[in-house]
Amino acid sequence: MTHVSERSGAASSSPSGTGGERQPWTAGTGRPARKRSTSYADAGVSIEAGDRAVELLKSKVRQTRRPEVLGDLGGFAGLFRLDTKKYTNPILASSTDGVGTKLVIAQQLGIHDTIGIDLVAMVVDDLVACGAEPLFLLDYIACGEVVPDRVAEIGAGIADGCRYAGCALLGGETAEHPGVLRPDEYDVSATGVGVVEESEILSPERVEVGDVVIAMRSSGLHSNGYSLVRHVLLGAGRMRLDVVIEDFGRQRTLGEELLTPTKIYAQDCLKLIAEAEVRAIAHVTGGGIPGNLVRILPETVDAVVDRATWKPQPIFDLIQAKGRIEDPEMESTFNMGVGMFAIVSAEDADRALATLAGRGVDAWQAGEIIEGTGNVRMVGQHTRG
């Protein structure tokens, strides 16, 4: 997380510069100062706090730098040189997203250094779904009060996510909204840009009868369905975030499970695309497995997904039991243990699975493509116990 409005030098905490760095600008009205005047800080906005947050983040942001990035932090816009020599017909892809009400859990627990990973995942895994390599990301943080250490924790998570995804954190903005958000409240969003060769764009048109559906395990809930989770577990269920859930293992609390960062698949999928004949990729977010897999099917085929090929994590069983939620509602809201699907040619299925295994991704053949009308057919039952 950086600020495109950042100045090259940090503002002094003292108007005269005593005890701090020199103020890089001066301004005056030519009129005698009033005995009492109103400042921006009186309205609840601290420019100095924002500058301090940026200073705390600089080293993290620089770890995401790519060779194509021009200049350093502090400009009004981030600059990125696109290497057009690598492509015949380069196509830019873009995606924007947030992390929804998962933020509420982070704020309640006072843990802010993982939510940025969720943010990056939601953006870059959408980009790679069309075959694009994520190039850079810009973030936006709105908060009731800029607390430098807290903003730095959020930004550090964003920087970590960008490193995992292989993209540069090119710029961003932090906005202080006193009177709109409580001092401890914040929201985040980000926009990412990627590039893909036009002839290599993944799309439904590539999917054929006989192709194989490969599933990649999620790290848990990822960043979807948290309004329902909070209603079922923390509202009606009256569960505490610090309660240890035996089924989670390793003395893991409910809060720790709910804050598990979203898995970032971008580099794994790019490697998969390079090694196997990948037809299409679906990022499983809001809408669940059927709602997202259907987006990459042409109208001439159906995808058959066998639930018996995997077991969802215990958190899904807990939510369903506590809320007495029907199976269709669960599957249309949550990823149910699968964060990404890849449709590959049958001939390359083994190679695809070996490639993902080599990168430490838990993946398996979950179904197949048959003749149909563009629908997803969920069959079988998940393994229980």
Side-chain angles (χ1 to χ4, degrees):
M1 195 285 304
T2 60
H3 302 264
V4 296
S5 59
E6 177 202 357
R7 295 193 297 273
S8 58
S12 166
S13 60
S14 168
S16 63
T18 303
E21 295 185 27
R22 180 180 63 84
Q23 179 77 303
W25 48 267
T26 59
T29 64
R31 297 191 299 270
R34 298 177 179 177
K35 291 183 178 180
R36 187 181 186 283
S37 62
T38 301
S39 69
Y40 209 2
D42 292 332
V45 177
S46 172
I47 295 175
E48 288 77 11
D51 290 340
R52 173 60 179 158
V54 172
E55 289 299 317
L56 292 173
L57 273 171
K58 279 187 174 180
S59 62
K60 273 283 190 179
V61 174
R62 289 193 176 109
Q63 292 176 20
T64 73
R65 190 178 179 91
R66 290 175 50 128
E68 303 97 328
V69 175
L70 303 180
D72 203 352
L73 304 180
F76 287 96
L79 302 177
F80 191 96
R81 177 186 289 113
L82 180 62
D83 185 1
T84 55
K85 294 180 181 178
K86 291 174 58 177
Y87 307 92
T88 302
N89 292 300
I91 301 297
L92 294 179
S94 64
S95 176
T96 189
D97 214 332
V99 297
T101 59
K102 187 172 185 175
L103 287 167
V104 176
I105 308 298
Q107 291 162 19
Q108 289 177 336
L109 291 175
I111 299 174
H112 313 291
D113 60 351
T114 60
I115 208 73
I117 298 174
D118 293 292
L119 179 62
V120 176
M122 297 300 288
V123 173
V124 299
D125 287 342
D126 275 357
L127 289 176
V128 80
C130 71
E133 174 192 359
L135 297 176
F136 59 83
L137 181 138
L138 299 103
D139 65 54
Y140 177 80
I141 302 174
C143 52
E145 178 184 354
V146 172
V147 178
D149 288 342
R150 182 171 62 206
V151 172
E153 289 180 31
I154 299 169
I158 297 173
D160 286 341
C162 286
R163 285 194 296 106
Y164 304 153
C167 67
L169 181 50
L170 195 58
E173 182 64 28
T174 296
E176 198 164 23
H177 291 169
V180 178
L181 297 171
R182 292 195 306 268
D184 60 339
E185 286 184 329
Y186 59 84
D187 197 4
V188 296
S189 65
T191 297
V193 172
V195 63
V196 59
E197 184 68 62
E198 184 173 13
S199 61
E200 297 175 5
I201 295 174
L202 304 182
S203 67
E205 289 71 26
R206 290 174 174 255
V207 178
E208 301 176 359
V209 172
D211 287 344
V212 169
V213 179
I214 289 177
M216 298 174 227
R217 185 170 293 279
S218 68
S219 56
L221 290 169
H222 284 185
S223 299
N224 297 103
Y226 274 78
S227 293
L228 179 56
V229 170
R230 289 167 46 242
H231 173 72
V232 168
L233 301 185
L234 307 182
R238 297 185 178 180
M239 296 185 69
R240 290 171 42 181
L241 292 172
D242 61 354
V243 65
V244 174
I245 307 296
E246 184 177 349
D247 288 346
F248 294 166
R250 303 186 309 279
Q251 292 295 300
R252 190 169 173 82
T253 66
L254 176 61
E256 289 171 332
E257 179 65 30
L258 295 182
L259 276 191
T260 301
T262 305
K263 181 169 176 56
I264 295 176
Y265 301 92
Q267 290 298 311
D268 302 318
C269 287
L270 289 174
K271 182 65 173 178
L272 179 63
I273 292 168
E275 296 292 332
E277 182 62 36
V278 178
R279 314 289 200 192
I281 291 176
H283 183 200
V284 183
T285 55
I289 291 173
N292 286 282
L293 193 52
V294 73
R295 298 165 65 180
I296 59 170
L297 298 179
E299 295 182 354
T300 55
V301 305
D302 285 353
V304 179
V305 176
D306 187 358
R307 301 183 186 92
T309 60
W310 81 94
K311 175 184 175 182
Q313 293 91 332
I315 184 63
F316 297 102
D317 290 335
L318 177 65
I319 294 167
Q320 185 166 21
K322 284 287 186 179
R324 298 190 294 275
I325 303 172
E326 298 291 336
D327 288 344
E329 183 68 18
M330 289 292 295
E331 289 190 334
S332 65
T333 304
F334 303 108
N335 65 58
M336 299 305 293
V338 178
M340 210 77 153
F341 281 105
I343 298 178
V344 304
S345 67
E347 295 79 10
D348 275 7
D350 289 342
R351 178 189 294 272
L353 290 171
T355 297
L356 292 171
R359 295 188 59 83
V361 179
D362 185 2
W364 63 94
Q365 183 171 332
E368 61 180 341
I369 302 298
I370 64 172
E371 290 185 2
T373 56
N375 295 312
V376 176
R377 305 185 193 179
M378 303 291 293
V379 302
Q381 295 297 323
H382 291 301
T383 305
R384 302 289 180 180

